[in-house]
Amino acid sequence: MTNLVTVTDVGHVRTIKLNRPEKKNALSLELAWSVIEAVDAAAKVDDVWVVAITGSGDAFSAGLDLSGSAAYSPHSPQTAQLDDVSWVGQFLLSIRKRCDKPVVGGINGVAVGAGLGLAMATDVRLIARSARLMAGYTRIGGSPDAGLTITLPQAMGYEKAMRFMMENRTLTGDEAVEWGMAGEAVDDDKFDARLAEYCQGLCDWSPITLRLLKRGMVKSYETTDLETQLRYEVGNIRMAFGSEDAKEARTAFFEKRKPVFKGK
């Protein structure tokens, strides 16, 4: 991992911060892959219960660096040659599929194109009131990538997603909440503190519960068979109830105290 991404652990929260402020965190190949590698790494650490992704400076990410960037891939030459998803597809795969921990998007500033795709790939989002969200593909003669054809209709519905992209709309923080692109708008000067507070608050729950919850939600978008999904839910809750954390939760409930979870 490079210094284009900074990783900070506080309690059970790992914050991944895009660190290219002089370019408004525009995505070079190295930065994009560094984010993916950081998420994949966080997914493998038991002591990390919640992951936050945010940007440095006054931007989340201005999208693909259109000025160009040096060739970079973490893969071997042959694997890179056969990679038909690339980093733009790996944002969603790493955050939703390979990381079953809650990933919170901290949209601290502008998010455009693939930068917006990265933000929308997160599970829940907080946004600064001055932040601006734009797809931008019609402006440069492109078409949506980075998972936006999946995540935008999920978040706001088909017609709103079409309008947002076709009309090349720009939404600020409160508007983004109204459109369903984020769950909470926060004053700029309070944003960092609120993002940290929100993520730490999620750590009040068992990480086993959170991981199984996310698995079920993600799986529901991958199947059209009701019985398959219902059986998946039953298997997950059996696993959840069999954990030490679940026993602690029930004991704390009856003893009218706050549970102490260990992630076991």
Side-chain angles (χ1 to χ4, degrees), residues 3-264:
N3 60 6
L4 293 175
V5 165
T6 63
V7 175
T8 306
D9 289 345
V10 177
H12 294 296
V13 177
R14 175 165 293 184
T15 300
I16 299 167
K17 181 174 287 190
L18 283 67
N19 188 34
R20 205 183 181 208
E22 73 284 359
K23 291 281 191 177
K24 293 194 178 296
N25 301 316
L27 295 164
S28 63
L29 295 178
E30 190 172 8
L31 173 55
W33 280 113
S34 294
V35 172
I36 294 160
E37 291 175 323
V39 173
D40 285 343
K44 298 173 184 175
V45 180
D46 284 351
D47 202 43
V48 173
W49 296 5
V50 175
V51 180
I53 300 177
T54 191
S56 58
D58 62 356
F60 180 81
S61 174
L64 178 65
D65 188 348
L66 295 176
S67 66
S69 64
Y72 178 85
S73 173
H75 301 309
S76 69
Q78 187 178 93
T79 299
Q81 179 181 343
L82 296 174
D83 180 12
D84 59 352
V85 177
S86 189
W87 59 268
V88 289
Q90 291 297 334
F91 280 164
L92 191 59
L93 291 174
S94 64
I95 291 171
R96 298 276 182 99
K97 286 282 288 183
R98 296 197 295 273
C99 182
D100 59 2
K101 303 169 183 182
V103 180
V104 180
I107 309 175
N108 59 304
V110 64
V112 179
L116 178 63
L118 172 60
M120 295 304 300
T122 60
D123 299 304
V124 295
R125 289 160 293 281
L126 280 67
I127 185 169
R129 284 202 159 85
S130 70
R132 291 171 292 116
L133 306 184
M134 181 172 64
Y137 294 94
T138 53
R139 185 176 59 179
I140 61 171
S143 61
D145 60 3
L148 286 171
T149 60
I150 300 168
T151 57
L152 284 180
Q154 283 179 357
M156 64 175 69
Y158 180 81
E159 180 170 345
K160 278 190 173 181
M162 287 291 290
R163 283 179 174 270
F164 175 75
M165 289 190 280
M166 287 195 304
E167 298 165 9
N168 197 37
R169 291 206 181 203
T170 298
L171 303 181
T172 55
D174 288 307
E175 293 170 329
V177 172
E178 291 174 10
W179 278 60
M181 298 177 76
E184 182 178 343
V186 183
D187 292 340
D188 290 23
D189 60 346
K190 300 175 182 175
F191 185 78
D192 290 345
R194 176 56 185 151
L195 177 62
E197 177 188 47
Y198 181 81
C199 292
Q200 290 295 340
L202 294 180
C203 296
D204 287 345
W205 311 115
S206 164
I208 291 174
T209 295
L210 295 177
R211 291 178 70 176
L212 290 173
L213 182 160
K214 178 172 176 177
R215 288 183 188 183
M217 290 288 195
V218 171
K219 192 72 171 179
S220 73
Y221 280 101
E222 297 177 342
T223 180
T224 57
D225 185 83
L226 291 179
E227 288 190 29
T228 297
Q229 181 65 17
L230 292 170
R231 289 192 176 96
Y232 188 74
E233 286 183 355
V234 170
N236 279 350
I237 198 168
R238 283 176 179 158
M239 197 182 306
F241 277 160
S243 69
E244 292 182 21
D245 277 0
K247 295 172 186 175
E248 164 64 7
R250 293 191 292 273
T251 300
F253 175 80
F254 287 114
E255 293 179 354
K256 295 181 171 55
R257 61 173 174 82
K258 186 176 179 178
V260 178
F261 296 122
K262 299 179 180 177
K264 296 181 180 180

